[in-house]
Amino acid sequence: MEYQYKCRITAWDFFRLTMRQTYRSMAGMCNLVFTVAMILLTAKFWSQSEEVLQVLMLIGCLLFPVIQPAAIYAKARRQAAAVPQDVQLTFDEKGLLVTTGGERQHLPWNRLRVTKQPGMVLVLSGAGSGYMLTNRVLGADREAFWSFVQSKVEQNR
């Protein structure tokens, strides 16, 4: 069996992945607690504070729900611009064949890990490197593809 995809990653894909990882971690919980505490403190002390302190309290309230996601999206745009858009991924019985710009690299199944995220499958080939296949790219055969890669990685572990 063989699956072949052209990898097309957008800034929105990077943004969704990063936001999900951030807000499902302990840091995300701390962000939530900080934001709630800032809103409560701002409501309690707003009328007693000078303008400079009010501005700082407002920034504190907006830090994690507005400013951090905007910064993450800006970073995601830079990441998407740096990713080559002509990457062809071919999954077969031997592993993953990556073709980009005329260069080819074969990665055997024992060097790969796969994880399923909402809306995408991540194929990890090393520390911090891998390939993102969104449901948009996978299309109708995403469940069959997931079963295939998961079984191949398990067999070669």
Side-chain angles (χ1 to χ4, degrees):
M1 184 165 280
E2 181 177 289
Y3 291 93
Q4 192 170 45
Y5 301 104
K6 184 171 182 171
C7 206
R8 292 176 302 225
I9 301 173
T10 64
W12 181 249
D13 297 328
F14 278 118
F15 175 75
R16 282 187 358 195
L17 180 63
T18 305
M19 287 295 287
R20 187 175 300 113
Q21 288 175 339
T22 299
Y23 283 95
R24 293 187 84 192
S25 68
M26 185 57 78
M29 294 306 297
C30 291
N31 293 355
L32 181 65
V33 169
F34 176 85
T35 301
V36 170
M38 277 305 301
I39 291 170
L40 293 174
L41 288 171
T42 300
K44 172 89 172 140
F45 296 108
W46 185 265
S47 60
Q48 304 167 28
S49 304
E50 294 182 19
E51 291 176 5
V52 173
L53 195 52
Q54 286 177 344
V55 169
L56 291 174
M57 287 189 293
L58 189 60
I59 290 170
C61 288
L62 297 176
L63 182 62
F64 295 115
V66 178
I67 297 169
Q68 184 181 31
I72 289 173
Y73 186 75
K75 180 182 176 189
R77 286 183 57 145
R78 289 190 303 275
Q79 284 177 308
V83 172
Q85 293 298 319
D86 65 339
V87 177
Q88 185 79 26
L89 303 175
T90 305
F91 298 87
D92 59 18
E93 299 297 324
K94 297 175 186 172
L96 169 62
L97 178 65
V98 181
T99 308
T100 181
E103 293 182 30
R104 299 166 65 107
Q105 179 184 11
H106 181 266
L107 299 169
W109 286 113
N110 62 358
R111 288 189 47 207
L112 299 175
R113 289 182 329 178
V114 293
T115 126
K116 192 174 189 181
Q117 302 280 326
M120 66 185 68
V121 172
L122 300 175
V123 180
L124 306 170
S125 59
S129 63
Y131 303 94
M132 181 187 314
L133 295 163
T134 63
N135 285 351
R136 178 184 72 252
V137 170
L138 294 172
D141 61 344
R142 66 179 159 240
E143 289 303 322
F145 170 75
W146 171 248
S147 297
F148 174 74
V149 296
Q150 191 178 27
S151 70
K152 290 298 176 188
V153 168
E154 288 295 320
Q155 283 176 5
N156 291 285
R157 194 169 272 183

